[in-house]
Amino acid sequence: MWQPNGCIFVGIVCSIALCAAAGFTHEGHRSFLRVHNKLRSDVAMGRYVAKGGVKKPPATNMKMLLWNSSLADSAQKYAETCPKEHSEIDNIGESLFWIGGEKLSEDYNQYAKMASDVWKEEFQKFDWSTNNLTATLFKSGVGHATQMVWADTDRIGCGAKLCGRKSPKIAVVCHYYPAGNTLSRLIYDEGKTCSSCPTGTTCNQHLGLCAPPGGFRRVVRG
């Protein structure tokens, strides 16, 4: 079974016109974490309202998401293939995003927020009427968003690649551990915010997330 190591923050950056592969710098890492943890915090604190005015109850066990270099390496490796479908790597959650056009920027970091925003908006575009991941809910189109707020997931790493010459596009891949989106499982446990933080974490009162020692500093300061 694949296991990520504990390293924090790694990235590769180069000219979009010259290099075959590229990744995210610390700026991109922070963008991914900022959007993901803001959504997780809003849910955990009972502030999030999904499509149709459905206000989600607070979470007892929502972990803070941290950057992991092993996941970033695996995501970058898969991005290098210019994927058209999910990789199905064992025990790894995965989100994919593509953007094309004639004016693609060589600053890959801007696509970190763009991809994350598209994924989280699935809760506004589609339905989130139940906290149990049923087949119906998953197939409705919220699979990226449910992975973003899967309570047990606490690590993320992402990569990017410029693909194609005649019709260039940028592929963004994010890998998550432990994987979420297990059918018939709760996305998170409902109840008083941070009241059941897992062993090895404590409640960050400001965010309502269960964080490891020093987790907040790693997220905010990189």
Side-chain angles (χ1 to χ4, degrees), residues 91-106:
N91 207 34
I92 295 296
E94 185 176 83
S95 289
L96 306 178
F97 171 81
W98 298 268
I99 184 170
E102 298 179 355
K103 296 182 180 181
L104 297 174
S105 172
E106 64 183 73

Side-chain angles (χ1 to χ4, degrees), residues 22-36:
F24 298 98
T25 68
H26 289 195
E27 179 185 348
H29 305 167
R30 287 190 290 269
S31 292
F32 279 116
L33 291 173
R34 189 176 298 114
V35 178
H36 279 71

Side-chain angles (χ1 to χ4, degrees), residues 76-88:
Q76 184 63 46
K77 182 178 180 180
Y78 192 53
E80 301 283 339
T81 69
C82 296
K84 296 182 180 179
E85 58 187 10
H86 286 284
S87 64
E88 306 298 338

